[in-house]
Every structure is written in C-alpha cells, then in structure tokens.
Amino acid sequence: MAQYDYDLFTIGAGSGGVRASRMSASFGAKVAVAEERYLGGTCVNVGCIPKKLLVYAAHFSEDFEDAAGFGWTVGERSVDWRKLIANKNKEISRLNGVYRKLLGEAGVEILDGHAEIVDPHTVTVDGKRHTAKYILVAVGSWPVVPKIPGAEHAITSNEAFHLAALPARGIIVGGGYIGVEFAGILHGLGCHTYQLYRGELFLRGFDDDIRRTLADEMRKRGIDLRFNRDIKRIDKVGDILKATLNDGNTIEANQILYATGRVPLTQNLGLERIGVRLKNNGAVAVDEYSKSSVDNIYAIGDCTDRLMLTPVAIAEGMAVANTLFNNKPTKPGYLNVPTTVFSAPNCGTVGLTEQDARQRNFQVDIYRTSFRPLKHTLTGRHEQTMMKLVVDAANDRVLGCHMVGPDAGEIIQGLAVALNCGATKAQFDATIGIHPTAAEEFVTMRTKVA
Ligand code: NDP
C-alpha cells in the first residue's frame, strides 16, 4: 500500500500550481490540487486575461477617432460597461471550465476548499486530512492598500473588474504595472482619470526612456498624471470620495483604485507552524529549485516573490515537476525575462535597461529612435513610438531592447529569443526588416546616441 495518499499535493490552482500539477501527473505522479477561490488564479480571474480584454475595449475609443482619417464615418458611440463586464465574466467562466477539464484530463484530483498544512506530509482541506510525499505551495498574492484614513473607501484591481458602473471620475494610486494599465483602461472607456505616483517618475525599474515616453503619451491622451503625489486621507461625502493629497489639494472621484503592490498570500496555511521559513514580506523563502526550508515542501509563483509574472510562475511549476517526477533537476531561468505593460500605448522590454547596464559597469552604446507610426500619418494623431537598444560596446552583444508603442509585447517577444541566443548588434543589422512595420526599426537603427 502506498505510504501517502498523493505524490504531490498542490495548494493553489493558479497558473503555476496548475502547470506543476498537470506536468507532474503526466510524469506518472498521483496529484491533488486544492483551491479555495477560483480555478486559474489571479491571471485568469482578476489579472492578465480580464485586464487584456478591458485594454482591447478601451482601445476602441481611439480606433473610432482614427477611422475618420481613413474615410470612415463613425456615428454616435457609447460604451455599455455592464455588457462589457458581463461578456468578460462569461469568458472567464469558460476559462474556469477549461482549467477544470485540463486538470481532470491529466488525472489531477481537484479539492475545492481551504487547505492548511498540519505536518510536512499532511494537509487538511476543510477539515479532511490528506497525506502527500511532496507539498507545493502556489497560493499567489493579493493587492495591498496602505493604511491611511479612509482606505476602506478605496478599491483594488480585484474589485475594479466587477464594478457595477464605470466611474465618471477615477483616481489611481501607484505607478507600477497595474496603475498604468488601469489608467489606460479607465481613460479609454471615458472615465476622467487621475494617476498619482509618490515618486518623480512612474514605472521604477524600467528604462528611463520608456518611463518618460509613456508619461508623455499618457498626458497627450488626457490622463492627469501627478508625480510626487500621494493621498493623505479619503473622505466619503454622499456618493463622492474626496481625496486629500500630500500637497494639500483635493480631488473628488467616484472610485479610488489602489495599485500599490501585492503581497504573498501565505497566511493561514500553517507554514510557520511546520518550520517553513518566510521572508519579511511573508514570501516563502526558496532555493534555486523552489524548495523551501522544509525538504519536501516547494513553493512557486507570486507567493515566493521572485518575479510576479504568470509565465515565470509557469516556468517555475514546470521546473518543479521535472525536478521531482521526471528525474531532471531543473532551475528556472530568470535571465532576459521579457515583459510588457499593457498601458496606452504598450511598453515592452527585455534585458538590461541603460541604467542597469551602466551600473554594472558595461561600456554601452545606445541606439534609439522615435517616430510617428505610419498609421497616424492619416489619422493625424500625434503619437510617438520609441525603440531603444542597449549594446555592450566591448563585444557588440545586445543587452536590452525597450519599446513604447502599439504591439510592443508582440514585438519584444521575438527579440527575447534573439537576446537569449546572445545576438549581437551586427546580427540585428544583418537581419532583413519587414516593411512597412514598426518592428523593422529594431534592425535598422544605425546611429549611436551621442
Ligand atoms: P508594482 O509593484 O508594480 O507597483 C506598485 C506601485 O505602487 C509602485 O509605483 C510603488 O511605488 C507604489 N507604491 C507602493 N507602496 C505604496 C504606498 N504605500 N503608497 C503609495 N504608493 C505606493 O505593483 P502592482 O500592484 O502594479 O502590480 C503587482 C505585480 O503584478 C507587479 O509587480 C507585476 O509583477 C505583476 N503584474 C504584471 C503585469 C504584466 O505583466 N503586464 C500586469 C499587472 C501586474 P515605488 O515604485 O516608489 O515603490
């Protein structure tokens, strides 16, 4: 008789947990996954997927305006927020079903309910005990709102996806991914949008040319960006929220959305009780193979706070499955992880920023171009696309590619392959462009920035 009920017990059926569970099962492991909220986790339910659907929705306002330059007459238009949200919800339900089916077909048992670890080999789900050789913690993260007076009146991205109505005026606090993405969404759909960021310039950690270009483009669109600003208190006056800022000004809005980061969701799991070491912010401390301080307990994804990105969680999940059940100890790679902010317009990036490269003492050559996309020669829109290459002057290797402009993510994905192959600037130059595209600019930049 088997020593344990399962070879692997996964807690959390988000992107990482599902991938690890399915792959482990495909390698012959007996697997169960417990989920207390929704199948597919943040990405499917209140993250990447619904966000991108809303980004598409928001973009139509520009598309309708731009159509005139191409001879189209577009009549009266309005957006039906409730219909948009209902359609989005329908798609998310479909995806929840797809996840259930995928897990089922892989032979993974799904246990709906809250899991708690009681000893290194035992998990309870709503009181029922299950034993496993390995436990994988893949519980994700949750948005945090700073404790200011009136914080209870604010919402986070979790609620933003389910609002009953589109706010006429909205304030977004935070200058990270979620903040700039929601600023584009709300503004595009017709909400008068303010975005506050506590520092000099948002998107800290991104290349400065991306940060500056995006700020210019967002302002041109009419988003009210306020840097070095934060909310000191929020008062509810009737249906209106009054935000008092650190500069003494007040802004009134119908919704205030905090996008001020996410914290690992590791509470109430019993981790400390069994000696799993947590970092100061509650993230599970893991080694390069995603193993925690307890030998048979692994953790992946947002709850380890390495890179909070869905494809990274998936890669970590694959690596754990290979390590534990495929005789292939695998460390996930974190080099040249490409990423895109689905702001208006998009920002795509892979590799080192110029600042990073200089800080690491690379001698760098910088190539940069800024141009009006061909489409806008007829629309009259004054939008600029920015592209930039950071090159190691010592050996001609391309260290980083950065872009602000339509479809930045689609373009940067391919360049990430080139960077992982160690491409040089000469190889970029030797590559024939596709004409006329924006992407071809990445292989036609010849003049170094002085
Ligand atoms: P981020 O960590 O990206 O950004 C948080 C922002 O809030 C920063 O601008 C930060 O400022 C600011 N902030 C933090 N604390 C406070 C505070 N107390 N008061 C005021 N401002 C504060 O978090 P997000 O919530 O935007 O996103 C969470 C994670 O989700 C991201 O890191 C990303 O990994 C992932 N994500 C990825 C997406 C994608 O791939 N497209 C989309 C959405 C999310 P400062 O810079 O000064 O610290």
Side-chain angles (χ1 to χ4, degrees):
M1 199 174 142
Q3 196 183 350
Y4 301 109
D5 301 333
Y6 301 101
D7 299 309
L8 178 70
F9 194 103
T10 303
I11 307 178
S15 308
V18 166
R19 182 59 65 95
S21 300
R22 285 175 56 211
M23 291 306 295
S24 300
S26 78
F27 297 140
K30 188 169 183 222
V31 186
V33 57
E35 173 56 59
E36 64 179 326
R37 210 164 281 112
Y38 25 53
L39 292 181
T42 301
C43 172
V44 166
N45 294 277
V46 284
C48 325
I49 300 298
K51 179 272 305 292
K52 185 112 188 234
L53 293 174
L54 296 190
V55 167
Y56 283 128
H59 206 272
F60 279 99
S61 54
E62 281 179 28
D63 296 337
F64 291 135
E65 283 171 15
D66 290 346
F70 290 92
W72 286 91
T73 304
V74 179
E76 272 297 300
R77 55 220 184 238
S78 63
V79 66
D80 182 342
W81 169 264
R82 291 169 77 97
K83 184 172 179 183
L84 169 61
I85 295 302
N87 288 349
K88 179 269 291 175
N89 289 345
K90 212 163 101 189
E91 172 57 11
I92 302 309
S93 299
R94 190 188 70 82
L95 290 174
N96 296 145
V98 168
Y99 269 70
R100 191 166 287 278
K101 193 159 162 261
L102 282 175
L103 285 165
E105 282 172 357
V108 176
E109 202 175 320
I110 304 171
L111 304 169
D112 297 301
H114 177 73
E116 214 174 312
I117 307 175
V118 289
D119 71 47
H121 290 286
T122 311
V123 179
T124 60
V125 179
D126 290 341
K128 189 166 183 289
R129 293 169 81 85
H130 307 271
T131 58
K133 185 170 184 197
Y134 295 105
I135 294 171
L136 177 63
V137 182
V139 289
S141 62
W142 202 250
V144 273
V145 178
K147 290 184 178 60
I148 56 152
E152 68 277 11
H153 302 305
I155 59 166
T156 68
S157 49
N158 283 349
E159 295 76 43
F161 286 112
H162 296 102
L163 290 176
L166 179 72
R169 293 161 77 84
I171 304 173
I172 292 168
V173 186
Y177 283 84
I178 299 180
V180 292
E181 288 179 346
F182 265 100
I185 290 169
L186 292 183
H187 171 77
L189 290 172
C191 164
H192 187 97
T193 307
Y194 302 86
Q195 185 179 3
L196 312 181
Y197 171 56
R198 64 180 175 182
E200 288 286 327
L201 185 58
F202 59 13
L203 289 184
R204 184 167 59 83
F206 283 76
D207 192 275
D208 283 349
D209 280 303
I210 284 196
R211 301 165 76 195
R212 281 190 289 260
T213 308
L214 183 68
D216 288 348
E217 291 302 320
M218 287 174 72
R219 285 195 166 118
K220 274 190 224 165
R221 281 168 166 75
I223 297 171
D224 191 338
L225 290 184
R226 303 206 185 171
F227 296 149
N228 296 311
R229 293 290 180 279
D230 212 345
I231 297 182
K232 269 173 57 185
R233 60 175 298 120
I234 300 172
D235 294 287
K236 193 163 196 273
V237 187
D239 284 344
I240 296 296
L241 299 176
K242 199 173 93 182
T244 306
L245 309 192
N246 55 347
D247 62 0
N249 283 320
T250 57
I251 308 178
E252 292 190 347
N254 307 87
Q255 295 288 355
I256 300 178
L257 192 168
Y258 268 82
T260 43
R262 301 176 61 92
V263 289
L265 202 48
T266 50
Q267 309 78 29
N268 308 322
L269 285 176
L271 290 169
E272 301 93 323
R273 191 170 50 218
I274 60 152
V276 172
R277 198 167 74 74
L278 301 181
K279 297 190 238 173
N280 284 344
N281 67 348
V284 182
V286 289
D287 69 9
E288 289 174 308
Y289 294 94
S290 299
K291 187 164 84 171
S292 78
S293 57
V294 173
D295 244 6
N296 70 310
I297 299 188
Y298 285 69
I300 55 167
D302 283 10
C303 71
T304 60
D305 195 23
R306 285 174 281 185
L307 277 178
M308 287 193 182
L309 297 170
T310 292
V312 171
I314 290 173
E316 290 167 352
M318 294 276 288
V320 166
N322 270 310
T323 300
L324 297 182
F325 302 110
N326 196 29
N327 221 5
K328 255 198 222 161
T330 309
K331 301 177 191 174
Y334 297 94
L335 191 67
N336 293 330
V337 173
T339 170
T340 290
V341 186
F342 293 95
S343 44
N346 291 183
C347 306
T349 179
V350 60
L352 295 184
T353 66
E354 180 179 345
Q355 307 81 256
D356 276 348
R358 290 192 192 282
Q359 233 164 36
R360 294 183 198 192
N361 292 324
F362 283 100
Q363 278 291 333
V364 290
D365 289 334
I366 302 296
Y367 297 82
R368 188 175 54 225
T369 178
S370 218
F371 57 94
R372 185 192 212 184
L374 176 63
K375 179 181 174 187
H376 294 310
T377 56
L378 294 201
T379 66
R381 187 178 291 282
H382 293 288
E383 182 178 309
Q384 291 286 303
T385 284
M386 190 285 297
M387 290 176 177
K388 176 171 177 178
L389 290 175
V390 180
V391 179
D392 183 349
N395 58 14
D396 202 39
R397 285 260 298 256
V398 179
L399 299 171
C401 308
H402 309 281
M403 171 175 177
V404 177
D407 300 320
E410 309 291 343
I411 294 169
I412 291 291
Q413 180 68 82
L415 296 183
V417 179
L419 257 64
N420 273 332
C421 295
T424 60
K425 176 69 168 61
Q427 288 168 322
F428 269 60
D429 294 349
T431 304
I432 305 289
I434 299 173
H435 190 68
T437 62
E440 69 179 316
E441 294 288 327
F442 269 119
V443 295
T444 55
M445 285 188 252
R446 294 289 185 270
T447 315
K448 286 180 207 167
V449 174

